[in-house]
Amino acid sequence: FAAARPLLRSISYGRPWLRAACERDYEHGGKDVYDAMKMTKEEAIEYMMKKWASTQVINIQHFTGAILCIPSLLGLGDPSWASSLDACGVLSEMGWEIEDVAEAIYLRFFTEQSVPFIELVVRAFHHSLTSILGLPMVLYYRSLKPLHWLCFDLQIVALVSVLVEYSKILDISKPNELRQFKVVNFLVLVLVVWTRFLHWIYLCLQIVLTWSHDKTWAFIAVGAVPLTAFSYFNAMLIVIP
């Protein structure tokens, strides 16, 4: 997936539409975040433009992982085959998260590129769930339907990210684009509340109840940490904002 990053950066970095989108993002909520990172407006916009291509690569990976879950969720084909595809979706996410953390650590401590400490903390919360539970769940619970739904919900967020990016390029001073902005934000609200709050709580309860029923206490003891951390991440950085 990372092979697409240079191509995306070459067709987007410094373009007027991307700069305008980054400026709107900065003015409408982003300023406080970048002030905390001790960045000026121009530094923040430069940072966002450089990050845009990487964000789209993440969206491609997440969307691919979500698609791999669909056969199991819809009951298509042989259940074993469908579960294997879902396992690929989980492992794809896990591989990306490990690579993402390793890259951030390398850039911060072994190069001149600056990765803010707060970004490392956010990545740690974000990646804790799959990095810790991904492989054990595939090995012991690969056919568990709530696992398949969880993998789908957490990766279909790529659609939310695409919608958010689209909303940033809209000029809400124009009536037609204002209507588009309202529709897009309504869809984002529905998707986020469902996948990261309502359905998230239900699926976590189903998985914990399965662990309890099977008396796999090690899963409960180890899983409590990433489930709690990711719930906090969902609430504070996705649902509430």
Side-chain angles (χ1 to χ4, degrees), residues 56-71:
Q56 307 322 306
V57 170
I58 294 170
N59 289 337
I60 294 170
Q61 183 279 316
H62 276 50
F63 196 67
T64 302
I67 290 174
L68 291 172
C69 302
I70 292 177

Side-chain angles (χ1 to χ4, degrees), residues 92-138:
S92 171
E93 173 72 3
M94 180 178 171
W96 168 75
E97 291 184 348
I98 293 173
E99 182 269 340
D100 187 55
V101 171
E103 180 184 45
I105 293 174
Y106 172 76
L107 290 175
R108 179 173 175 84
F109 295 106
F110 299 100
T111 73
E112 295 181 358
Q113 297 186 48
S114 176
V115 176
F117 177 74
I118 187 64
E119 184 175 332
L120 290 178
V121 173
V122 170
R123 290 192 190 194
F125 274 92
H126 185 196
H127 300 331
S128 62
L129 183 65
T130 308
S131 298
I132 295 174
L133 290 177
L135 186 58
M137 288 298 290
V138 166

Side-chain angles (χ1 to χ4, degrees), residues 9 19 27 30 37 108 151 194 202 225 228:
R9 184 168 291 167
R19 172 170 285 276
E27 297 295 343
M37 294 164 63
R108 179 173 175 84
C151 181
W194 175 252
Y202 172 77
V225 175
T228 301

Side-chain angles (χ1 to χ4, degrees), residues 18 24 27 41 43-44 57 59 78 117 130 133 150 171 175 178 183 189 192 211 213 215 226 228 230 236-237:
L18 181 58
R24 291 192 189 99
E27 297 295 343
K41 179 179 179 179
E43 288 173 339
V57 170
N59 289 337
D78 180 80
F117 177 74
T130 308
L133 290 177
L150 198 63
D171 184 352
L178 176 59
V183 171
L189 175 65
V192 165
W211 292 340
H213 178 268
K215 297 182 180 181
T228 301
F230 204 85
M236 302 306 296
L237 295 178

